[in-house]
Amino acid sequence: MSRPSDYADSSERIGDGPRPRGSGGGSGGRGPGDGSGSGSGSDDINQPRLGPIGWLRWFWRQLTSMRTALFLLLLLALAAVPGSLVPQRSSDPNGVTQYFVDNPDLAPFLDKLQVFDTYSSVWFSAIYLLLFISLIGCILPRTKHHFDAMRAKPPKTPARLSRLAGFTTRDIPAQGEGDERSAASVIDSARAVLKRSRYRTVMFTGSDARTGRETVSVSAERGYLRETGNLVFHASLVGVLAAVAVGGSLGYSGQRVLVEGQTFVNTLLAYDSFNPGRFFSEGELDPYTLTLDSFDATYETESIRAFGQPLDYSANVSTTEGGDDGTGEIKVNSPLKIGGTDVYLLGNGYAPTITVRDPSGAVVYTDSVPFLPQDAALTSLGVIKVPDGLSTQVGLIGFFYPTQAQSDTGAFYSSFPDLEYPVLTLNVYGGDLGLDAGVPTSVYSLDTDTMTQLAGTDSATAALQLQPGQTADLPDGLGTVTFDGVKRFASFDIHHDAAQGWVLAFAILIVAGLLTSLFVPRRRVWVKATERADGSVHVEYAGLARGDDPRLADAVAALAERHAAALGLAPSAAGEPGPDAGAPRSVDGGAPRPAAEDEPSGDEPNAGSER
């Protein structure tokens, strides 16, 4: 986010508040002719009042300063932290529901702060928009300044090259009668060498201040690609922000849980939860179907320390799109692309198949119910609701243990996440399920406040305990419940983002721009030739870095060697380096840059005129 080294800043300092021009810069100081009176000992400064336009200008300067842009970028990173600490409604609505259950006092407070919708909250959007405006306000003037600099000619040759970095001299001897070597021909040769190195060049003529002899010089510069890369980096950052905003407005995301054998149809009603963008329309849903054929999980069984840790999850699916059937595999971080959407694997677990019959044996309920995992060994909790078919409404709270084990206290737990010794226990409740009131309820929770426990810890009847294929009687002769078997379920996140290709393109440009701005040096190089009385030509070489360039002195020395070779001189004919050849100077920092007199204006005799 750095401003280019040759950018002319205003005299107003960022963060010091609005300072009218001509108000003085020091403590009680006054410039000549400021009309402040003769009281030299007074510290009072009469500053003109800023009207609304002045304050707006000051506010705009603060907002579009690099310091503000960096601060907003850091603030945006900090504002995104809550999105990784608490579940988000856009990606994990079930997790949000569970968070409210686990934290009944804290969750409502966080919800008022829009923490569960971090990335669409008012405060996050405000930071996002301010950063967007700040970056644009920074880039536009820098771009204009850069293009103006690219169209400008290289600067005139300084009068004293000996004060610049890498100063080196060469004395080219006269070759005898008929030799047409002159200062102009030497500089023409140097210009050709510089052009081959992709320098922009311009030639000047002038006179030596000490001898009065004519001098010919070439001024060359290159490295504008450095600032171009810097601008590409920042412009691409704005592009990423814009693409993310457009993609979020036009796209959508939804979640769906599928049990093995179930099929999802890409319609609005088929989603378990759906989060559309601001400008989403239902017509954007491409028709396709997705069937979960099987779910494979592999766990560590050889290492004792990592025993039971998951090694691989694979959801094997069948798809139908546009009349074409196909198959696919969805893994963690390996989504399936279909119908303009990316289908990600979010989670998985077990879905016990439960069948409930009335006293006469008629089936009143049968389904494979997803149970939510509670620990790494997939001890799972689920709810079965039987609203019709029995003499009273029945609710079952089940605990499923893939590999059932028993602790010293007698409590059950799962010791391994795979199905080695599956056991299902059921607590039975009778009464009103609350489904007839028209109020939506979660399929993963059971409100037992208005129900009576018929079997379980707080009743005279022990909880029902079943293994696959077993049947148990419900209390009070309500009927029977059968544990038919176990299937796997998978939770999918279906995401559509029309701008993700643009995000990738801008991300590549960010990296390319950053590398260019880091590794391309900005240099200015001068070669000046002066003819002497004995017919020899004295040549001077020097350079100036626009930024930090530790290899500038080597580059000047290499230029001198290539020029000597172009003139047909042996390396031994080269003169000695100047006293400051190994001391590179930078305009932006380090050793001081040449004084103003070393860069004379066009009306000074040593500056010369352009050829």
Side-chain angles (χ1 to χ4, degrees):
M1 307 293 297
S2 60
R3 193 179 294 270
S5 59
D6 52 349
Y7 192 88
D9 287 315
S10 168
S11 59
E12 296 179 10
R13 294 181 58 192
I14 297 175
D16 291 343
R19 179 182 299 177
R21 296 185 182 272
S23 61
S27 166
R30 289 176 172 83
D34 59 2
S36 58
S38 59
S40 59
S42 173
D43 290 336
D44 297 332
I45 300 177
N46 296 323
Q47 297 183 352
R49 290 183 176 274
L50 291 178
I53 301 299
W55 281 105
L56 287 176
R57 271 185 175 178
W58 177 82
F59 176 77
W60 176 253
R61 288 182 60 82
Q62 303 307 304
L63 179 61
T64 58
S65 67
M66 286 298 171
R67 181 182 302 176
T68 301
L70 287 172
F71 174 75
L72 288 173
L73 192 61
L74 175 61
L75 193 61
L76 185 71
L78 293 176
V81 171
S84 61
L85 297 180
V86 298
Q88 300 294 296
R89 285 193 176 94
S90 61
S91 58
D92 189 11
N94 294 329
V96 175
T97 302
Q98 187 63 39
Y99 194 92
F100 271 83
V101 174
D102 298 338
N103 305 274
D105 297 326
L106 180 60
F109 173 74
L110 295 179
D111 197 24
K112 290 181 179 179
L113 298 178
Q114 298 180 305
V115 174
F116 299 108
D117 302 284
T118 295
Y119 306 112
S120 60
S121 62
V122 173
W123 45 271
F124 188 87
S125 300
I127 299 172
Y128 192 92
L129 290 175
L130 285 176
L131 176 61
F132 193 82
I133 295 172
S134 179
L135 284 173
I136 293 177
C138 291
I139 291 171
L140 291 181
R142 288 181 59 182
T143 302
K144 180 181 182 302
H145 174 78
H146 180 54
F147 285 150
D148 290 343
M150 289 181 65
R151 290 195 299 268
K153 296 178 181 179
K156 291 181 173 62
T157 305
R160 299 172 187 163
L161 294 182
S162 59
R163 300 185 62 180
L164 300 182
F167 176 67
T168 303
T169 63
R170 297 289 188 271
D171 288 319
I172 303 176
Q175 298 297 318
E177 294 184 6
D179 180 27
E180 298 181 357
R181 183 172 292 166
S182 63
S185 64
V186 169
I187 294 303
D188 284 337
S189 175
R191 188 179 190 181
V193 171
L194 288 167
K195 283 189 173 181
R196 286 196 294 270
S197 299
R198 298 185 298 277
Y199 279 89
R200 300 168 58 216
T201 63
V202 62
M203 293 179 63
F204 298 98
T205 58
S207 60
D208 189 275
R210 291 173 296 179
T211 65
R213 291 185 177 275
E214 182 184 21
T215 63
V216 183
S217 63
V218 59
S219 176
E221 63 179 349
R222 75 174 186 182
Y224 280 100
L225 193 61
R226 180 189 186 98
E227 178 62 12
T228 301
N230 204 0
L231 290 173
V232 168
F233 169 80
H234 290 95
S236 300
L237 185 59
V238 174
V240 168
L241 294 176
V244 169
V246 171
S249 299
L250 299 178
Y252 62 86
S253 65
Q255 292 75 39
R256 175 61 192 265
V257 174
L258 289 180
V259 179
E260 290 175 326
Q262 290 184 347
T263 299
F264 164 75
V265 180
N266 190 30
T267 60
L268 199 57
L269 295 178
Y271 286 89
D272 294 331
S273 63
F274 191 79
N275 301 279
R278 185 178 298 274
F279 304 111
F280 166 79
S281 63
E282 190 172 351
E284 296 179 20
L285 295 175
D286 292 336
Y288 66 85
T289 64
L290 180 73
T291 301
L292 179 61
D293 297 325
S294 62
F295 187 89
D296 301 325
T298 305
Y299 301 99
E300 177 62 54
T301 57
E302 297 181 1
S303 174
I304 299 300
R305 293 189 176 184
F307 188 78
Q309 295 297 314
L311 299 178
D312 182 63
Y313 291 131
S314 298
N316 303 300
V317 298
S318 299
T319 61
T320 301
E321 180 184 11
D324 297 328
D325 297 334
T327 59
E329 185 180 57
I330 307 175
K331 292 177 174 288
V332 178
N333 295 327
S334 180
L336 173 70
K337 296 183 180 296
I338 181 173
T341 64
D342 294 320
V343 183
Y344 294 89
L345 177 62
L346 287 185
N348 67 91
Y350 291 103
T353 302
I354 308 296
T355 300
V356 178
R357 295 179 174 84
D358 64 12
S360 65
V363 175
V364 297
Y365 177 91
T366 182
D367 198 6
S368 297
V369 183
F371 277 38
L372 299 181
Q374 304 297 304
D375 56 31
L378 294 188
T379 299
S380 304
L381 172 65
V383 172
I384 300 101
K385 299 178 182 179
V386 187
D388 303 308
L390 302 179
S391 59
T392 184
Q393 292 185 343
V394 172
L396 307 173
I397 298 179
F399 293 89
F400 178 70
Y401 310 94
T403 303
Q404 184 261 344
Q406 191 169 3
S407 65
D408 297 336
T409 62
F412 288 170
Y413 67 94
S414 178
S415 60
F416 187 70
D418 213 350
L419 295 174
E420 299 296 336
Y421 188 72
V423 172
L424 175 68
T425 62
L426 296 170
N427 293 335
V428 185
Y429 293 84
D432 184 12
L433 293 173
L435 301 179
D436 300 328
V439 179
T441 59
S442 172
V443 296
Y444 298 106
S445 63
L446 179 66
D447 185 4
T448 61
D449 293 341
T450 59
M451 303 185 74
T452 302
Q453 187 168 10
L454 304 179
T457 306
D458 299 331
S459 67
T461 305
L464 306 182
Q465 181 174 326
L466 300 170
Q467 289 185 281
Q470 292 183 347
T471 300
D473 293 329
L474 293 172
D476 299 341
L478 293 174
T480 61
V481 57
T482 301
F483 180 19
D484 296 316
V486 184
K487 295 182 179 180
R488 297 294 297 247
F489 78 84
S491 175
F492 297 105
D493 180 79
I494 302 166
H495 185 74
H496 170 71
D497 185 359
Q500 61 181 353
W502 288 102
V503 173
L504 175 61
F506 284 126
I508 294 174
L509 287 176
I510 285 176
V511 175
L514 180 61
L515 293 177
T516 302
S517 65
L518 288 177
F519 295 109
V520 174
R522 176 82 181 276
R523 293 171 178 167
R524 286 176 178 171
V525 176
W526 292 276
V527 182
K528 181 165 64 174
T530 306
E531 296 182 10
R532 291 180 172 175
D534 59 359
S536 63
V537 179
H538 180 70
V539 186
E540 298 177 356
Y541 307 84
L544 182 67
R546 304 305 303 264
D548 202 13
D549 188 1
R551 301 184 60 184
L552 177 61
D554 295 336
V556 175
L559 168 63
E561 294 296 332
R562 292 198 303 272
H563 187 208
L567 293 173
L569 301 178
S572 59
E576 295 296 327
D580 298 326
R585 292 174 172 83
S586 169
V587 179
D588 298 353
R593 64 167 292 169
E597 63 178 353
D598 292 330
E599 296 182 6
S601 60
D603 57 353
E604 295 186 52
N606 287 338
S609 58
E610 182 182 346
R611 295 183 64 200

